[in-house]
DNA sequence: CCTACCGATCGGTAGG
DNA sequence: CCTACCGATCGGTAGG
């Protein structure tokens, strides 16, 4: 009690600052997805959260810095969802199916900042890349043992690398054409994608 | 002779104008792919062909107009390559294989303006879209009977629409990761993609 | 196609 | 976090 009375202001201020920062990231993410990074102005972002045009620079030192933060936020959300999705699953195929579905949900349904990563990689400066790649690697690292196990079990095509890149392409490209309520469910897309990717030991398709 | 002496200047001028216009389209295409539409300035484009900054507007009425022209140029190149690729092929599977390979060549190898279509669709204004879509439809129209025939022959998965979208995703996404000389040939990628997509009547994979 | 230019806008900053 | 502002740049135009 005495403790919470002594330093309430700093703690509250810190929390608020974090909130405002988060609001900026969320607003920027939406705008970057809708209009693109270059076409979005600092003023757009400030307006979206009720700030004046100079104020976002109190939270981020540059627009480029906001892009980096937005991408990392999206990756973090994907990582969290991924962890939850595979929790308790042991069989490689089960884990694989869970990863594919989680990935599609993050891209298409959860309205995270993840799509910014897919759209605006080119706009990310050389200097910002290393940091983003580090988190991206953590996300992809979860797929690797699953794919390795699938290959060991003969459920994956010969060339694991190309197959993986083609699969990610098929999944990531959905962001370009999928519209919710368009008569297609996420699960239908996921099942079809899994179907393409997996085969059983005798070479038959599921 | 008398004819060619009478009006040499206008004919030559017309040809030159077409050439300059083409040069601008080619330069703009390269820059749009490398830096993005918004990050590319009219001055960048003018510099690339040795013009002053105001001069591109003699050939195009706006930057948006250049984007439209670049996309249509890319589609035209794809259409031409496509026509040549399937020439004389009758069997649906043969035609399909030819289409996939032609598509990958256009995207990854021929350095056409086609990738601009994949990268910058969002930057294309509402008013410009109809015209581009018209040409895009002609390109996709060639795929349709082939896919229909494959389905009739039982060589295609149940859900033709999702399958098609996933395939285009896998192919189009290659632009994000493929680097020539990276140890992977176009044919390897094409074969793997075809492999995912096609199945025979008994449900076995090739 | 160039010269010369304009109005608008943009990312970012100083000072509080 | 706001006010007030700046230098740079951008798409585009008039007039030749």
């Amino acid at each position: 009690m005495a403790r919470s009375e002594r330093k309430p202001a700093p703690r509250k201020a810190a929390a608020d600052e974090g909130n405002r920062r988060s609001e900026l990231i969320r607003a920027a993410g939406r705008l970057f997805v809708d209009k693109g990074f270059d076409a979005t102005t600092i003023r757009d972002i400030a307006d979206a959260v009720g700030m004046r045009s100079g104020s976002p620079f109190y939270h981020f030192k540059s627009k480029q810095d906001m892009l980096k933060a937005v991408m990392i936020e999206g990756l973090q959300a994907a990582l969290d969802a991924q962890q939850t999705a595979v929790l308790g699953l042991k069989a490689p195929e089960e884990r694989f199916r869970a990863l594919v579905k989680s990935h599609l949900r993050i891209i298409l349904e959860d309205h995270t900042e993840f799509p910014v990563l897919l759209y605006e990689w080119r706009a990310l400066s050389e200097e910002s890349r290393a940091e983003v790649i580090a988190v991206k690697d953590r996300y992809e690292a979860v797929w690797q043992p699953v794919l390795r196990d699938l290959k060991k079990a003969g459920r994956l095509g010969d060339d694991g690398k190309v197959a993986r890149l083609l699969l990610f392409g098929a999944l990531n490209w959905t962001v370009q054409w999928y519209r919710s309520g368009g008569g297609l469910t996420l699960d239908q897309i996921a099942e079809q994608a899994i179907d393409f990717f997996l085969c059983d030991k005798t070479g038959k398709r599921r």
Side-chain angles (χ1 to χ4, degrees), chain A residues 13-144:
Chain A
D16 278 2
E17 272 184 32
N19 284 341
R20 293 303 265 165
R21 194 185 140 93
S22 294
E23 283 176 51
L24 282 167
I25 289 178
R26 227 172 301 136
R30 254 191 310 268
L31 287 161
F32 291 167
V33 170
D34 290 346
K35 312 175 34 166
F37 176 72
D38 284 311
T40 299
T41 70
I42 294 291
R43 284 158 178 85
D44 291 334
I45 299 167
D47 279 354
V49 301
M51 282 180 184
R52 297 312 180 91
S53 73
S55 302
F57 293 103
Y58 173 74
H59 297 277
F60 300 91
K61 70 179 219 291
S62 68
K63 194 186 174 191
Q64 180 63 220
D65 226 55
M66 296 195 68
L67 178 60
K68 186 176 69 179
V70 165
M71 287 186 175
I72 288 176
E73 183 70 23
L75 278 166
Q76 209 69 54
L79 260 167
D80 292 348
Q82 188 187 52
Q83 230 101 76
T84 306
V86 298
L87 202 73
L89 301 181
K90 292 291 176 202
E93 183 179 340
E94 273 187 290
R95 289 177 72 85
F96 178 67
R97 300 174 79 85
L99 286 178
V100 168
K101 291 188 183 186
S102 173
H103 192 75
L104 284 177
R105 256 196 306 273
I106 282 289
I107 291 181
L108 304 176
E109 212 171 57
D110 291 351
H111 303 290
T112 65
E113 293 80 6
F114 193 89
V116 176
L117 193 80
L118 306 181
Y119 274 125
E120 300 293 347
W121 187 255
R122 198 177 37 185
L124 192 68
S125 75
E126 208 70 61
E127 304 88 60
S128 306
R129 268 177 206 183
E131 212 172 322
V132 178
I133 287 177
V135 192
K136 196 162 84 89
D137 284 348
R138 286 176 51 209
Y139 182 74
E140 286 169 1
V142 179
W143 291 77
Q144 273 162 27

Side-chain angles (χ1 to χ4, degrees), chain A residues 130-195:
Chain A
E131 212 172 322
V132 178
I133 287 177
V135 192
K136 196 162 84 89
D137 284 348
R138 286 176 51 209
Y139 182 74
E140 286 169 1
V142 179
W143 291 77
Q144 273 162 27
V146 176
L147 294 172
R148 179 175 35 82
D149 289 349
L150 284 173
K151 185 157 184 177
K152 238 185 277 179
R155 312 266 340 234
L156 215 98
D158 297 312
D159 192 335
K161 188 186 164 195
V162 185
R164 201 192 80 231
L165 290 165
L166 290 175
L167 173 76
F168 277 120
L171 296 181
N172 289 340
W173 195 257
T174 57
V175 87
Q176 302 267 5
W177 54 265
Y178 178 81
R179 297 294 166 257
S180 67
L184 267 176
T185 68
L186 280 201
D187 274 348
Q188 284 177 302
I189 300 169
E191 289 301 332
Q192 188 85 37
I194 292 165
D195 225 45

